[in-house]
């Protein structure tokens, strides 16, 4: 590790606090949804004052942006790993579903109902382009877009609980949708 890579105790503490703030925010989102995110509640949970939290995040939108970037980065990394392993559309679809089921609130943060009053900066949503590029490497553009939208439709319905009580197995439905899209 070079001197330029060594972090000061203050930098390490700042990173730790930001990670704790994000974890509290994710917990809040899982309980009440992204639109109910409260910086004051996070500060209180962490034993700090509201103004102290603003040393780490300028406002609610800055925190949401960081959470969205993390989610997009995680999905893009998941797709890159699958693509690098030679994944074809069915395997990419499985990677998407596994990623979404592992943390439904993270999925819904980026693909669910938009947070009222929040607009993601362009550099944040640009990360999502990496996911589509992985599909475009194995499919034609129109196919990739159809594939992406139909799979998100099934996943969004599943994660929102809309198949409950319908005698529908979401895994089977998802697999059937993938098969119909790739012509199997």
């Amino acid at each position: 590790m070079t001197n330029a890579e060594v972090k000061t105790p203050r930098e390490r503490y700042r990173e730790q606090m930001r990670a704790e703030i994000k974890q509290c925010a994710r917990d809040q989102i899982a309980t009440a949804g992204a639109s109910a995110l409260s910086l004051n509640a996070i500060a209180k949970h962490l034993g700090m004052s509201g103004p102290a939290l603003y040393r780490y995040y300028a406002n609610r939108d800055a925190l949401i942006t960081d959470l969205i970037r993390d989610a997009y980065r995680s999905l893009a990394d998941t797709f890159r790993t699958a693509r690098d392993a030679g994944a074809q559309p069915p395997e990419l679809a499985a990677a998407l579903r596994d990623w979404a089921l592992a943390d439904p609130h993270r999925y819904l943060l980026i693909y669910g109902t938009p947070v009222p009053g929040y607009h993601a900066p362009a550099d944040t949503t640009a990360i999502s382009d990496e996911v589509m590029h992985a599909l475009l490497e194995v499919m034609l553009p129109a196919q990739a877009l159809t594939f992406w939208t139909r799979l998100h439709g099934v996943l969004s319905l599943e994660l929102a609980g809309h198949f409950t009580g319908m005698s529908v197995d979401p895994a089977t439905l998802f697999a059937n949708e993938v098969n119909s899209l790739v012509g199997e």
Side-chain angles (χ1 to χ4, degrees), residues 23-100:
Q23 184 56 54
C24 284
R26 284 189 291 271
D27 293 345
Q28 251 189 39
I29 289 169
T31 302
S35 62
L37 190 63
S38 165
L39 294 183
N40 286 329
I42 292 169
K44 183 177 179 180
H45 180 79
L46 293 173
M48 63 173 46
S49 69
L53 188 124
Y54 288 97
R55 286 186 233 145
Y56 302 99
Y57 286 98
N59 53 40
R60 177 196 74 133
D61 286 1
L63 176 55
I64 291 172
T65 296
D66 212 11
L67 294 170
I68 288 172
R69 282 184 178 139
D70 288 352
Y72 277 138
R73 173 55 41 222
S74 174
L75 181 56
D77 290 348
T78 297
F79 260 57
R80 183 176 42 257
T81 299
R83 182 201 61 215
D84 291 349
Q88 291 301 302
E91 292 84 17
L92 290 171
L96 171 64
R97 185 167 187 269
D98 290 347
W99 180 88

Side-chain angles (χ1 to χ4, degrees), residues 101-156:
L101 292 176
D103 190 344
H105 300 290
R106 176 180 56 183
Y107 173 91
L108 292 170
L109 180 63
I110 58 176
Y111 294 115
T113 303
V115 178
Y118 174 77
H119 301 285
D123 67 328
T124 299
T125 55
I127 301 168
S128 70
D129 290 344
E130 294 177 37
V131 177
M132 185 55 70
H133 288 295
L135 284 175
L136 291 171
E137 289 180 12
V138 296
M139 303 178 95
L140 295 172
Q143 292 172 315
L145 186 58
T146 299
F147 188 82
W148 193 242
T149 57
R150 284 177 53 184
L151 294 184
H152 276 294
V154 173
L155 266 176
S156 294

